[in-house]
Amino acid sequence: ALWAQLVSKLRTHLLRQVSMAAARLQITVESASNLYNSDGVLAGKSDPYVIVEVPGQENMKLQTDVVSNELNPVWSFTGEITGFMDGNVLRFVVMDKDTFPKPDDLLGWAELSTQDVYPNGFHGDLALYDSKTQATLTVMVVVTGCDTAAPELVEGEGVQTTTVLASGMAMHGLALYTPGALTTTTTASQSMTYSAPLTNSAPQVPMNSMD
């Protein structure tokens, strides 16, 4: 019975600490500096644009306009990506727009991890990988909120929401990104019960049977 009490208290404590959500990000692609001229001297300068994406998530993608004939472009582009979870990566790909049938050229790319942007956001210069001129990209990422995944767990204890993974794993802050393994438990009565997986559980003994 003592073991059961300890397990119950631990479970309650863990539930109170769990607040699972997916972040909404406001992303501003401000400018780039010292981009490579992939068009060559005689053809003018690069016509850069930026793709913002979360690899593996086709519906989480933004794209700036093209700035023509410019190696230090200013886009001042702002968009929103929702559903950003722990384990996701925010990738910025700078491309040079070319005339069909010539494919667009890669001018460089950079990435921000969950830890880089959550919970305090990011504002600064990113060195571009695969850049022939050590170019940089200036971006700002603001966490504007979280998309809640399920109703309140423990009444009156300040627990907001929870998302339970199929594996039984849970993480404080953002939902853990596991492709195809994310499940959400809800009920019409706006309440839910989460049973933490236990090992070596002691037999349940009614409390009123103890002295």
Side-chain angles (χ1 to χ4, degrees):
L2 179 60
W3 172 254
Q5 285 180 281
L6 291 174
V7 168
S8 178
K9 289 181 179 180
L10 178 60
R11 181 185 301 158
T12 301
H13 174 75
L14 290 174
L15 288 175
R16 289 171 181 170
Q17 296 301 313
V18 173
S19 179
M20 305 291 290
R24 295 193 303 274
L25 305 181
Q26 178 182 283
I27 301 164
T28 301
V29 180
E30 297 181 357
S31 61
S33 298
N34 199 34
L35 293 176
Y36 175 69
N37 184 12
S38 65
D39 287 345
V41 177
L42 298 179
K45 299 177 182 178
S46 296
D47 306 307
Y49 65 95
V50 180
I51 298 172
V52 185
E53 61 183 356
V54 177
Q57 303 296 314
E58 289 298 324
N59 62 332
M60 299 166 70
K61 182 178 292 188
L62 304 170
Q63 183 172 317
T64 71
D65 292 331
V66 176
V67 177
S68 300
N69 203 37
E70 182 59 66
L71 302 181
N72 298 287
V74 176
W75 293 282
S76 298
F77 169 88
T78 299
E80 184 179 73
I81 283 181
T82 61
F84 191 81
M85 298 185 294
D86 187 67
N88 283 153
V89 171
L90 197 60
R91 179 179 293 167
F92 301 85
V93 183
V94 185
M95 301 292 294
D96 171 36
K97 185 68 175 178
D98 284 315
T99 304
F100 183 82
K102 183 182 178 183
D104 294 354
D105 296 318
L106 174 68
L107 298 178
W109 60 278
E111 290 184 343
L112 291 172
S113 67
T114 309
Q115 290 72 26
D116 292 327
V117 301
Y118 186 86
N120 298 317
F122 176 89
H123 189 196
D125 296 337
L126 300 173
L128 295 180
Y129 295 103
D130 293 331
S131 169
K132 297 179 180 180
T133 53
Q134 298 181 332
T136 60
L137 180 69
T138 304
V139 303
M140 180 170 64
V141 181
V142 178
V143 181
T144 59
C146 289
D147 298 320
T148 56
E152 207 169 317
L153 265 179
V154 182
E155 194 172 323
E157 292 296 338
V159 173
Q160 298 174 355
T161 58
T162 188
T163 296
V164 181
L165 299 181
S167 62
M169 296 176 61
M171 175 182 158
H172 179 69
L174 291 177
L176 183 65
Y177 174 59
T178 306
L182 189 64
T183 60
T184 303
T185 305
T186 59
T187 63
S189 62
Q190 298 262 321
S191 64
M192 63 177 288
T193 301
Y194 172 76
S195 298
L198 301 177
T199 57
N200 300 323
S201 299
Q204 301 296 317
V205 179
M207 295 299 296
N208 57 15
S209 67
M210 301 299 297
D211 292 333

